[in-house]
Amino acid sequence: MWRLMRRRQETEPEVAGEAAAQAAVTVAPVAPVEPDLQAAAFFDVDNTMMRGASIYHFARGLATRGMFTTSDLFKFAVGQAVFRLRGNENPEHIAVARETALAFVAGAKVDDVVRLGEEIYDEVMADRIWGGTRALAQSHLAAGQRVWLITATPIELARVIAQRLGLTGALGTVAETSNGVYTGRLVGDLLHGPAKAEAVRALARREGLDLTRCTAYSDSANDLPMLSLVGHAVAINPDSELREHARKHEWPIKDFRTGRKATLTALPIAAGLGAVAGGVAAGIALRRHYRRHT
C-alpha cells in the first residue's frame, strides 16, 4: 500500500503539470511586435506578481458579498500566518487541506467562479499588483516573448489575472469539471513545487520553447525546481531560503517590498497550503451561496 501511495505521489506532479499545460490558452499579443517564439517568461503569482495570496483575496471578495463571515476569513488568515512561521509545509498537511477544500467546492459552477473572479480582481486584487514585477512582464512582451503566470491558484482565477494584466496566459491548478460544474477532484495535484516544473516542461514541448532562453520569476524556495529548469532565474521579493540560493548561484534579486508593506505581505501567503486555506474559505462561501439560492 505504501509503495502504491508513494508511486502515486511521484506521478501526480507530472499529471498536474500536463493538465496545466493543456489548460493554458495562448492569447496573441496586443502590440504588433516581432515574435520571439523560442523564449518565454514564467511568473509566479502570490507575493511575486501580487502582494499576498490571490485565492485569499478572492475569499475576501466573497466575504464582502456576505457569502461568509469576516471571522471565518480571519481564522484562515491566522492559520496561514501560523503555518508560515512554523515553515512545516509537508505533503500530508497539504493533502488533507486540499481534500477539505475540494469537498467544499464540489458542485460550484465554473462560470460563477470566473464571473466572481473578474469582479473581485477589479475590486480587490488590481491594486495589489507589484508595479515592478508587472514592468518586468511587460518588458518580455515588448521583446516579443510570451508571458505566462504559473501558480497553485485555480486555473480559472489565474486566467482572469493574466487577462487583466494583458499577458499571454496562465498555468494553474486544474480541477475536474463535469457539465460546467466542479466534481470535487483535481486533475493530478496542486500546481506547486515540482508540478510547476513539469508544467513548464510540458508547455515548452507544446510551444517549441527553448528553456535555456526562458526566464522564471518567484519569491519562494518551493519554486526552485522551476527556477532551476530555465536558463534565467530571478528571485522576486524572496524568502530567506531563496535569497540565499539566489546569491549562491548569482541569480538576480529584486525586492519591491518597502517598510510596512514588506511586513504585511507575510500574513496572507503560504505557498501550497496557504492557497488551499483560501480555497477552503472560497468553497465554504460558494456552498452557502448555493444553499441559499436552491
Side-chain angles (χ1 to χ4, degrees):
M1 174 65 75
W2 171 248
R3 289 181 179 176
L4 179 61
M5 290 177 63
R6 185 174 180 180
R7 193 178 305 119
R8 181 170 178 267
Q9 290 174 351
E10 289 173 348
T11 58
E12 280 185 342
E14 184 175 352
V15 174
E18 289 285 352
Q22 291 177 17
V25 178
T26 301
V27 179
V30 176
V33 295
E34 186 68 25
D36 184 350
L37 299 179
Q38 289 190 310
F42 298 90
F43 285 80
D44 171 53
V45 173
D46 298 345
N47 238 27
T48 302
M49 180 63 74
M50 177 184 297
R51 297 197 302 273
S54 50
I55 192 68
Y56 175 84
H57 295 315
F58 180 64
R60 280 188 61 197
L62 295 177
T64 63
R65 287 162 169 74
M67 296 175 74
F68 67 112
T69 68
T70 52
S71 63
D72 289 333
L73 187 65
F74 179 74
K75 291 176 184 177
F76 289 114
V78 169
Q80 290 185 58
V82 170
F83 163 82
R84 187 141 178 101
L85 289 172
R86 289 178 178 174
N88 60 345
E89 180 176 331
N90 64 62
E92 292 180 1
H93 291 168
I94 291 177
V96 171
R98 176 197 63 196
E99 297 303 326
T100 302
L102 290 171
F104 276 115
V105 80
K109 297 177 181 177
V110 176
D111 287 348
D112 287 346
V113 171
V114 173
R115 175 180 55 80
L116 288 166
E118 291 172 342
E119 294 176 2
I120 293 170
Y121 176 87
D122 294 338
E123 296 171 5
V124 179
M125 301 182 194
D127 291 340
R128 289 172 171 78
I129 298 297
W130 294 108
T133 309
R134 184 172 190 175
L136 289 170
Q138 291 298 321
S139 70
H140 285 282
L141 292 173
Q145 299 176 9
R146 288 167 289 178
V147 178
W148 279 279
L149 298 179
I150 182 162
T151 174
T153 293
I155 183 60
E156 290 79 13
L157 183 55
R159 282 175 182 161
V160 168
I161 299 171
Q163 289 168 358
R164 288 297 197 264
L165 294 175
L167 307 181
T168 307
L171 299 97
T173 296
V174 179
E176 183 183 85
T177 62
S178 177
N179 297 319
V181 175
Y182 293 106
T183 66
R185 294 184 294 271
L186 288 183
V187 179
D189 207 339
L190 292 171
L191 196 67
H192 173 254
K196 285 189 177 181
E198 294 295 342
V200 170
R201 285 193 186 96
L203 190 70
R205 288 194 297 268
R206 191 187 83 180
E207 300 292 328
L209 298 175
D210 178 355
L211 288 176
T212 64
R213 298 190 58 232
C214 291
T215 309
Y217 299 81
S218 178
D219 72 296
S220 173
N222 291 312
D223 287 338
L224 281 173
M226 174 183 72
L227 293 168
S228 303
L229 183 65
V230 298
H232 309 281
V234 182
I236 302 287
N237 307 325
D239 59 27
S240 58
E241 184 178 350
L242 178 58
R243 184 180 293 274
E244 181 179 350
H245 188 94
R247 285 174 174 166
K248 181 178 178 180
H249 291 81
E250 299 183 342
W251 292 351
I253 299 174
K254 297 183 181 295
D255 201 325
F256 301 118
R257 299 168 296 185
T258 56
R260 184 167 174 267
K261 287 183 179 179
T263 303
L264 291 174
T265 55
L267 177 62
I269 173 65
L273 189 56
V276 171
V280 173
I284 291 173
L286 290 169
R287 175 161 289 194
R288 289 178 180 173
H289 172 76
Y290 285 121
R291 283 176 177 171
R292 288 200 300 264
H293 293 84
T294 55

